[in-house]
Amino acid sequence: MIRVAVCDDEKYMADAITKMTADFFCGKNIETVIERFSSGKELLKYGKTIDILFLDIQMKEMDGMETARTLRSRGFKGFLIFITILKETVFEAFEVQAYDYLVKPIDVSCFEKTMERLLTSMQSAGEANLLVRRGCESRLVPFDDIVFCEIIDKKVYLHLASLEIIDYYERLERLEGKLDGRFFRCHRSFLINLQYLKSYKNQTAYMDGGKQIPVSRLRGKEFSGVILRYMKERRL
């Protein structure tokens, strides 16, 4: 699921961006949640993760640039797209690591070109997301959301922190190559996310949520060292 936020104090513009965004991702069969905000102050009160932010630069009270600076200072790592009337105002965008800007009135073809590039960037950010394809549907799953992966009869089951389970066909070896160092293949049928590991004892990995994952004898010899190395890297 991709989380999108639209922040614009002009309702008609917020409506237009919301519709274009919904239509684009619907055409890609990618699930989205779109939140709307009418001011920078309202946006800054929002406590949930945002993957893509459309932010109007020319807003009353707190403008978009000031809002973006505050968000980045708080650790916002999403893709930022400015909405503006004047191209000249985007020269400051480098400071806040903006991905792109769109000039009002927004042309649909320009919007779609930006979104195609952005989606490619999101999909290639393998250290952050896993692209799951089920038939003609696609979905981006953040690595942070995956507790462990299990394979049963050639089908992968992603067990998420939300308790949702996503199933699709893929070889575990191929999946392992797409994941980063926080994941460890502890068994021929399991890949676990070390950030959800609570303890390890008697060839069993105890995960957050109470799930117990078997660790094969072959992998068990390596597992203790992997855990220590992961904990050390997290402290750095």
Side-chain angles (χ1 to χ4, degrees):
M1 179 185 294
I2 295 177
R3 301 172 182 87
V4 182
V6 179
C7 184
D8 198 305
D9 58 1
E10 296 178 306
K11 185 179 181 302
Y12 82 92
M13 184 54 63
D15 289 342
I17 296 170
T18 299
K19 185 179 187 306
M20 284 188 282
T21 302
D23 289 347
F24 175 82
F25 283 113
C26 182
K28 300 291 183 182
N29 292 307
I30 296 176
E31 186 180 356
T32 58
V33 170
I34 304 175
E35 302 283 355
R36 292 174 50 158
F37 306 90
S38 58
S39 70
K41 289 183 178 180
E42 184 184 354
L43 173 62
L44 291 173
K45 292 178 183 178
Y46 185 68
K48 297 181 181 179
T49 301
I50 297 172
D51 298 310
I52 302 171
L53 171 60
F54 293 95
L55 182 59
D56 184 20
I57 290 183
Q58 293 90 6
M59 291 190 295
K60 298 174 183 176
E61 297 182 20
M62 178 180 282
D63 66 22
M65 202 62 69
E66 184 182 353
T67 302
R69 289 192 189 99
T70 304
L71 282 170
R72 290 300 192 199
S73 70
R74 293 180 180 180
F76 171 62
K77 299 185 184 302
F79 289 88
L80 172 60
I81 299 175
F82 278 124
I83 310 299
T84 181
I85 297 173
L86 302 171
K87 291 182 181 180
E88 291 76 13
T89 59
V90 303
F91 289 120
E92 296 177 78
F94 293 105
E95 178 189 341
V96 291
Q97 301 168 350
Y99 182 80
D100 205 346
Y101 67 92
L102 296 168
V103 180
K104 299 179 184 180
I106 298 173
D107 178 76
V108 175
S109 63
C110 290
F111 177 87
E112 290 180 349
K113 285 178 183 176
T114 292
M115 295 306 292
E116 289 286 357
R117 288 192 299 104
L118 189 150
L119 185 57
T120 299
S121 297
M122 293 184 76
Q123 291 173 350
S124 64
E127 75 280 2
N129 299 290
L130 175 67
L131 178 63
V132 174
R133 298 186 185 276
R134 303 195 330 174
C136 60
E137 295 184 2
S138 299
R139 175 174 174 180
L140 282 170
V141 182
F143 286 176
D144 284 341
D145 291 354
I146 303 171
V147 179
F148 67 94
C149 315
E150 179 180 13
I151 188 163
I152 303 174
D153 296 330
K154 298 181 181 179
K155 183 179 275 191
V156 168
Y157 293 80
L158 301 180
H159 295 256
L160 306 188
S162 64
L163 302 183
E164 179 185 2
I165 299 175
I166 302 172
D167 62 283
Y168 67 107
Y169 288 99
E170 184 164 35
R171 291 176 58 199
L172 197 62
E173 292 82 3
R174 182 177 170 84
L175 171 62
E176 186 178 9
K178 295 178 179 179
L179 300 173
D180 65 12
R182 82 191 82 179
F183 289 88
F184 179 76
R185 187 170 179 177
C186 61
H187 187 277
R188 63 178 180 172
S189 300
F190 291 95
L191 273 163
I192 64 172
N193 187 340
L194 296 173
Q195 67 190 79
Y196 288 101
L197 178 68
K198 289 184 68 177
S199 62
Y200 169 53
K201 185 179 181 182
N202 298 327
Q203 290 183 263
T204 301
Y206 295 86
M207 310 298 290
D208 283 348
K211 184 67 178 180
Q212 299 178 24
I213 308 294
V215 179
S216 69
R217 289 186 179 181
L218 252 153
R219 302 315 303 267
K221 294 177 181 179
E222 184 185 352
F223 194 32
S224 297
V226 168
I227 295 170
L228 290 172
R229 190 161 59 249
Y230 175 74
M231 291 174 65
K232 182 180 179 181
E233 288 172 355
R234 289 195 69 181
R235 287 198 297 267
L236 295 177

